[in-house]
Amino acid sequence: MKPIPFLTALLIGLLFLPRVKALDVNVNLGQSGANSGLDASNPRWWNFTISNAGAAAGLIVVTGNITIKKNQSATNPVVFSLWSGFTINGSTAGNTLLATMNMTAASLTQQFTPTIFSFNPVSSQLGVGAYSLTLTNTDSGASNTGYGLKYNDIVVMTDTSGTALSTSLYASAGANPTPYPTPTPAPTATPTPAPTATPTPAPTATPGPTPVPEPSQVAASLLLIAGMTLYCFLRRKKQSSAA
C-alpha cells in the first residue's frame, strides 16, 4: 500500500483537532448615566475582569454600545479602545492595547443616540485578568467642541443577539479599582494539639487490720516459755546440790 502523502495526513489531523470555543460579545456602556462631557480633558473609561469561566468560554469583544451626541463644533474623532489592564483616573500607562477604532464627527449626530462601535479587526479571546475600555477625543472642550455621553462606569456584556451573559463569566470593576487581585490560597489550618492527659495517681491502699494470732499459737508459745523456765530452774537446783 502506498504511503499517504504528508499534506493529506496533515489535513486529516487538523479535522480531528479539538475546536477552540469562542463567543463574540457586545459591551454596553453607561446607557442610563448622567450627561457627561468627552474631550481632551475628560476621557471616559470602564474596567472589568474576566473569570476562569469567562476565559474558558472564549469571550471576544467585537462591539461596544454607548449613547453619545456630537457637540455643535466637534471636529476630531471619538476613539474606542480595548486594553489589557485597568485604566485608573483615565491613565492607561502600563496597559497593552488590544483593539481600537475611530468614529468620525460626521458620523455622529447632535442628539443623544445609542451608537455601536465595532472593532475591525476584533481582539483575540480574553484570558483571566483585568481589562478596560476607553473613549477618548482630542477636542479642547471649548467653544462647544467635544461630545456628550450618557455615562456611568458599569459594564454589561451580552452576546451579539442581545442576551445578557452570566456574571460568572465577567465582573464590572468600577471606575478606579485596586490592582487585579491574584487569588490567595486559603491558609493551611494548623491542627490544634490535643490536650495532654494528666495521669490520675492510683489510690493508696489502706492497710488492713493486723491479724490476731490463733488461740493454738498462743497456747504453744506459753508452753514453750514455761518449759524453758522449768528447765532453767531444775538445772540451777542440780548445780546447787552438787556444790
Side-chain angles (χ1 to χ4, degrees):
M1 182 176 63
K2 294 183 179 179
I4 301 175
F6 174 76
L7 183 58
T8 303
L10 179 61
L11 291 174
I12 293 173
L14 290 174
L15 289 175
F16 289 95
L17 283 176
R19 296 183 181 275
V20 178
K21 291 197 298 184
L23 177 61
D24 291 347
V25 299
N26 175 67
V27 285
N28 298 278
L29 307 173
Q31 299 297 304
S32 59
N35 296 348
S36 301
L38 173 67
D39 53 50
S41 300
N42 296 288
R44 301 298 171 189
W45 64 94
W46 299 261
N47 293 302
F48 63 97
T49 59
I50 298 297
S51 67
N52 288 318
L59 303 185
I60 301 175
V61 178
V62 295
T63 55
N65 187 9
I66 185 72
T67 298
I68 188 170
K69 74 168 185 173
K70 174 182 67 175
N71 292 332
Q72 184 175 0
S73 300
T75 56
N76 294 327
V78 174
V79 181
F80 180 50
S81 302
L82 171 65
W83 304 84
S84 175
F86 286 146
T87 294
I88 305 297
N89 290 323
S91 173
T92 57
N95 293 357
T96 300
L97 181 63
L98 303 178
T100 189
M101 60 85 60
N102 290 0
M103 184 167 285
T104 65
S107 65
L108 299 171
T109 72
Q110 294 184 39
Q111 302 295 324
F112 279 112
T113 305
T115 304
I116 297 294
F117 295 77
S118 298
F119 291 129
N120 187 19
V122 299
S123 65
S124 58
Q125 294 183 13
L126 304 183
V128 177
Y131 296 89
S132 56
L133 293 149
T134 60
L135 279 179
T136 56
N137 167 254
T138 57
D139 285 352
S140 65
S143 303
N144 204 24
T145 63
Y147 298 81
L149 301 175
K150 290 285 189 179
Y151 175 78
N152 61 46
D153 58 23
I154 303 300
V155 175
V156 177
M157 288 192 181
T158 67
D159 62 21
T160 52
S161 67
T163 302
L165 299 188
S166 168
T167 53
S168 66
L169 306 183
Y170 76 100
S172 183
N176 296 301
T178 55
Y180 182 67
T182 301
T184 303
T188 303
T190 302
T192 304
T196 304
T198 303
T200 304
T204 304
T206 303
T210 303
V212 178
E214 294 290 332
S216 58
Q217 293 177 338
V218 174
S221 299
L222 291 175
L223 288 173
L224 177 62
I225 293 171
M228 291 181 66
T229 302
L230 179 60
Y231 170 76
C232 291
F233 173 76
L234 292 175
R235 186 174 180 181
R236 290 189 63 177
K237 184 176 181 182
K238 183 178 181 180
Q239 289 175 347
S240 298
S241 299

